[in-house]
Amino acid sequence: QKADFAFSHPRNCIYLGNCQVAPLDDSQSFHKSHCFSVTTETNDTYVFAAASDQERESWIADIQVSRTLTHSRIVKIAVENGCLLEEKGISTVAELGPLAIFSNSVYVSKTPLTGGMEGWLMTKGINGKFIEFNTTNKWRKCFSIIRDSHLILYFNGDTLIRPRGVVYLDGTTVTDVTETISPDSNDEPEASDDEESEAKPGNGYVLTVTSKISGDEIELSYSTSAERDLWHNALRIASRVTHPNLLILENQRKLLATSIMTPRAPVTNKANPTAFTTPRNPAPSLLDEEVDIQGRLLAPLAVQPHSEQGVPLIRDLEGRLVDPTTGEALPPTTPRYSAAGEPLDAFNRPLPPGAVAMFDQDGKGLGVGPDGKIYNVLGDEVSNDQIFDGNGKPLVQEEISAALQIAPNVALALKVQSKLRGEEAVVANVDPLGRSLEIDDGETDIQTVDGEKVPVSARRIEIDGKLVRYDEIDQSQLPKAATPPAPESMSLVIQTQAASGKVDIGTVQIDERTTVSHVRGTIQTLIDYDFVFVVNGVPLNKYEELSRLASRYLPNILIRSQVARDEDEESTEGSMGKPKPVPKFSSKVQRMILEEERKKKEADEFQATMERIRSKTFLNPLKK
């Protein structure tokens, strides 16, 4: 019945994208029965009580679908489909039709994965009214967010879970009505006492969003034609973030993957079949698992490893594989499995049928690179007579040939990740398997995510999904973001968005290696609220912060809190109150200090993850 509430005034809203949902027993749910919890991506947890277990299961099933219905998910599948179609020599635009925008290289490279748009605008409200006011057709200033398939409206001072209006964009049309409004029109209403803006119909640019299903509409006014055009495009794209479109892309991906990609080996008898409860997906996406249970980004094609008992395995601060139930470090030859019980190689990538995990004579892992060659952890190519299984037995040619079948999958995963990275990302330093390398300022100390120090010869640069030896690289080949022009000043201005424009709140001194994540670590202690960085009207996620150089955004970068703040105005009546003024600051990114703080935080998170797994309170991956 969603269409009946396409345009609405809800009391609260909860963003379900990438959330975790789980049933609760009576001891966890405040003496209520049939409860379940929803934990959002910002770690806010809500508990709901259903009328029966059957109703609870129905809610959980629907939320499991809703958590995947995001702009980010649709872009990832569309890009993966585009890469699969290229393998078959088929035009992406012809095959994807209206959904081709989600895999368009220009759109993907310039738009953070969150997608949408946000900022201050003027509107009369849904059908010309806000329910908080008795008057109609009054233009009011609102902070507005397009998130996935919804347009959400807030007043100044509102927290971002309590909107004043929500527009469901599926089935809507967007019309530019700027030219139909006369500057002398009587429809240029008075602003309320707490709102003053030049973005009124007489001198603004107006879009009308109309639901083809319910007939409801809302007018949105912008102060410049550039703003209007950005929002027009964002509204049009958001109307395509729908469950039917997600299913179209997912079904297409499964068909393509089945015909192109090497399948995974079946669940083996060596694993305890009762320990693995996650259903096996015969055609999984390359992006189904992007982070492990510790929240760290996984290497191309890698998944979260589990023990034979189905317990998630984690890595300690030195990168060693650890059994969280005992705290003991495990040897590299320890058998490991996916959440569904599929066997993995020494680098946590699902094995092809007939393959076994490969090791050298010292029991250190060997893996297949995207070029179809076998490498050790130091990045050296290994000959067939130097390959053994976990018990030290030499592999026969049939087993080696089976293992090599993973190479096309690795190459495809690298290609997909490259297209998703965006033009602002730092250059990707990886080993011959495509795994990230950590490199010090002097570029002499290089180590893998496993904590293994490797020589410079192991360093590769990923360019357009291909790996090139660092010592053979031509600087002209590097992506634009890897070779930014030398700025006149390395002083980055931090700004917030007011209705009248951007407001400077501080400056941060950066260097050529400072990432947006480093900037966050510096100013987080100076600002008393949670915030996100906003680029071209779109928030960055935390993984994009890690991969983007702050110097790409000189001279300024925008932040936004979880409260609709207009630094120029008092809060609207009925809001949460005027936010505390942000103090001006000037600071310098101390990357060495931040690295020490990061290591301490990782140590705390490692212990917390160990405790969660031991107490069995961790959440298993949910069905897509």
Side-chain angles (χ1 to χ4, degrees):
Q1 300 299 315
K2 179 78 179 224
D4 291 344
F5 305 95
F7 288 41
S8 59
H9 299 86
R11 181 171 298 178
N12 288 284
C13 67
I14 300 171
Y15 181 63
L16 296 177
N18 306 310
C19 74
Q20 296 287 345
V21 56
L24 301 176
D25 59 38
D26 291 352
S27 64
Q28 299 173 292
S29 51
F30 312 103
H31 308 292
K32 293 279 189 179
S33 300
H34 323 300
C35 289
F36 63 93
S37 66
V38 174
T39 301
T40 68
E41 62 179 3
T42 55
N43 291 322
D44 295 312
T45 299
Y46 301 85
V47 176
F48 299 89
S52 65
D53 282 347
Q54 182 178 3
E55 183 179 287
R56 175 175 65 179
E57 291 172 5
S58 179
W59 272 103
I60 290 175
D62 280 352
I63 292 173
Q64 286 178 342
V65 172
S66 299
R67 67 181 295 275
T68 68
L69 185 51
T70 64
H71 175 275
S72 174
R73 177 71 177 171
I74 284 183
V75 166
K76 289 174 182 178
I77 297 179
V79 168
E80 184 173 345
N81 289 4
C83 292
L84 289 166
L85 287 167
E86 287 177 10
E87 293 293 312
K88 293 181 73 72
I90 300 174
S91 167
T92 302
V93 174
E95 193 68 19
L96 295 182
L99 301 181
I101 182 62
F102 294 111
S103 65
N104 178 275
S105 59
V106 176
Y107 177 75
V108 173
S109 66
K110 292 183 177 294
T111 308
L113 283 171
T114 303
M117 185 64 60
E118 60 180 57
W120 291 93
L121 53 77
M122 298 288 284
T123 179
K124 301 176 186 178
I126 295 170
N127 295 323
K129 182 178 181 180
F130 286 101
I131 62 173
E132 290 85 358
F133 302 98
N134 294 324
T135 56
T136 59
N137 289 323
K138 296 287 187 180
W139 290 90
R140 300 183 183 278
K141 181 172 58 182
C142 285
F143 185 76
S144 303
I145 297 177
I146 298 174
R147 191 70 187 269
D148 301 327
S149 56
H150 290 77
L151 169 65
I152 314 171
L153 307 175
Y154 303 92
F155 291 157
N156 180 36
D158 287 345
T159 59
L160 300 189
I161 63 169
R162 296 186 177 180
R164 303 306 176 114
V166 173
V167 176
Y168 182 50
L169 296 171
D170 181 19
T172 59
T173 58
V174 185
T175 307
D176 183 355
V177 297
T178 302
E179 295 181 359
T180 67
I181 298 178
S182 167
D184 300 325
S185 170
N186 292 328
D187 192 29
E188 185 174 327
E190 302 174 0
S192 59
D193 293 340
D194 58 318
E195 298 164 344
E196 290 183 7
S197 172
E198 295 179 357
K200 298 177 183 178
N203 56 10
Y205 298 84
V206 181
L207 300 175
T208 297
V209 182
T210 305
S211 171
K212 293 181 288 188
I213 301 172
S214 66
D216 293 323
E217 71 174 28
I218 185 170
E219 288 183 293
L220 309 170
S221 177
Y222 307 92
S223 58
T224 68
S225 59
E227 275 187 331
R228 174 202 59 193
D229 293 345
L230 284 172
W231 279 82
H232 195 165
N233 190 53
L235 288 163
R236 180 176 58 87
I237 291 173
S239 70
R240 301 175 189 175
V241 181
T242 65
H243 189 231
N245 285 343
L246 178 62
L247 291 179
I248 288 171
L249 290 171
E250 182 60 29
N251 290 334
Q252 181 188 59
R253 185 200 61 75
K254 289 179 180 178
L255 288 172
L256 291 168
T258 301
S259 64
I260 295 174
M261 294 180 60
T262 302
R264 295 182 177 185
V267 176
T268 65
N269 293 329
K270 294 180 182 179
N272 181 359
T274 62
F276 300 94
T277 58
T278 301
R280 184 171 185 267
N281 186 346
S285 167
L286 295 168
L287 302 168
D288 271 352
E289 293 188 52
E290 296 183 87
V291 296
D292 62 17
I293 197 172
Q294 294 169 274
R296 299 176 180 178
L297 283 171
L298 292 167
L301 216 64
V303 300
Q304 168 65 48
H306 296 72
S307 70
E308 289 184 331
Q309 289 71 42
V311 176
L313 301 177
I314 60 178
R315 293 197 177 277
D316 64 14
L317 301 183
E318 284 74 43
R320 298 173 301 180
L321 203 64
V322 170
D323 182 346
T325 60
T326 64
E328 296 180 356
L330 301 172
T333 55
T334 300
R336 58 196 84 168
Y337 303 88
S338 71
E342 300 153 327
L344 308 180
D345 70 4
F347 302 99
N348 303 327
R349 305 177 300 183
L351 288 165
V356 297
M358 301 183 295
F359 304 90
D360 63 16
Q361 60 184 358
D362 297 323
K364 292 187 176 181
L366 304 176
V368 178
D371 56 2
K373 298 178 181 179
I374 299 174
Y375 296 92
N376 61 21
V377 292
L378 298 178
D380 300 321
E381 189 176 346
V382 178
S383 60
N384 288 1
D385 60 350
Q386 298 297 313
I387 303 173
F388 305 84
D389 66 13
N391 297 317
K393 178 183 176 181
L395 296 193
V396 299
Q397 186 58 48
E398 289 78 7
E399 293 171 317
I400 296 174
S401 297
L404 293 174
Q405 299 306 305
I406 199 177
N409 291 5
V410 179
L412 191 62
L414 276 169
K415 186 176 182 179
V416 172
Q417 289 192 4
S418 176
K419 288 181 178 292
L420 289 171
R421 190 172 294 117
E423 65 177 19
E424 306 296 343
V426 299
V427 64
N429 291 286
V430 297
D431 69 5
L433 303 181
R435 303 183 306 154
S436 295
L437 294 174
E438 295 182 0
I439 303 174
D440 68 353
D441 285 349
E443 299 196 347
T444 56
D445 186 9
I446 305 174
Q447 64 180 25
T448 68
V449 292
D450 301 334
E452 188 90 30
K453 291 192 175 183
V454 299
V456 176
S457 59
R459 185 178 179 185
R460 303 288 191 273
I461 302 296
E462 183 271 303
I463 301 176
D464 295 330
K466 305 289 185 182
L467 301 188
V468 183
R469 287 179 62 102
Y470 179 75
D471 51 11
E472 298 175 358
I473 196 73
D474 181 347
Q475 292 296 314
S476 64
Q477 293 178 275
L478 290 177
K480 183 175 66 173
T483 55
E488 295 182 4
S489 170
M490 296 297 273
S491 181
L492 182 66
V493 178
I494 310 299
Q495 299 179 319
T496 58
Q497 182 71 63
S500 59
K502 297 176 181 177
V503 178
D504 296 352
I505 62 170
T507 59
V508 177
Q509 296 299 315
I510 62 175
D511 60 36
E512 68 280 357
R513 290 173 63 90
T514 302
T515 65
V516 176
S517 181
H518 287 135
V519 175
R520 170 181 289 280
T522 298
I523 68 176
Q524 186 71 77
T525 57
L526 306 173
I527 298 177
D528 64 345
Y529 56 77
D530 293 332
F531 63 88
V532 294
F533 290 100
V534 180
V535 175
N536 297 325
V538 185
L540 295 177
N541 67 38
K542 66 178 181 179
Y543 300 109
E544 289 172 319
E545 291 180 15
L546 288 168
S547 66
R548 299 195 178 204
L549 290 172
S551 58
R552 297 300 301 178
Y553 303 107
L554 287 168
N556 50 62
I557 192 168
L558 192 68
I559 66 171
R560 185 261 294 161
S561 72
Q562 296 304 311
V563 175
R565 293 172 177 260
D566 181 359
E567 304 298 335
D568 298 336
E569 299 288 344
E570 295 295 327
S571 301
T572 301
E573 181 181 355
S575 73
M576 297 301 292
K578 183 172 176 60
K580 181 180 178 181
V582 179
K584 303 290 183 178
F585 62 84
S586 180
S587 185
K588 181 177 181 180
V589 173
Q590 302 285 352
R591 285 193 288 112
M592 293 295 292
I593 296 176
L594 289 176
E595 286 302 308
E596 291 299 319
E597 292 177 352
R598 179 182 66 82
K599 290 178 180 178
K600 182 180 183 304
K601 183 179 179 181
E602 285 184 351
D604 294 340
E605 290 176 348
F606 173 75
Q607 292 299 326
T609 302
M610 293 259 287
E611 291 302 320
R612 283 193 295 123
I613 295 175
R614 287 171 178 171
S615 62
K616 298 183 179 181
T617 58
F618 63 91
L619 295 172
N620 287 320
L622 298 174
K623 293 185 291 184
K624 299 296 182 184

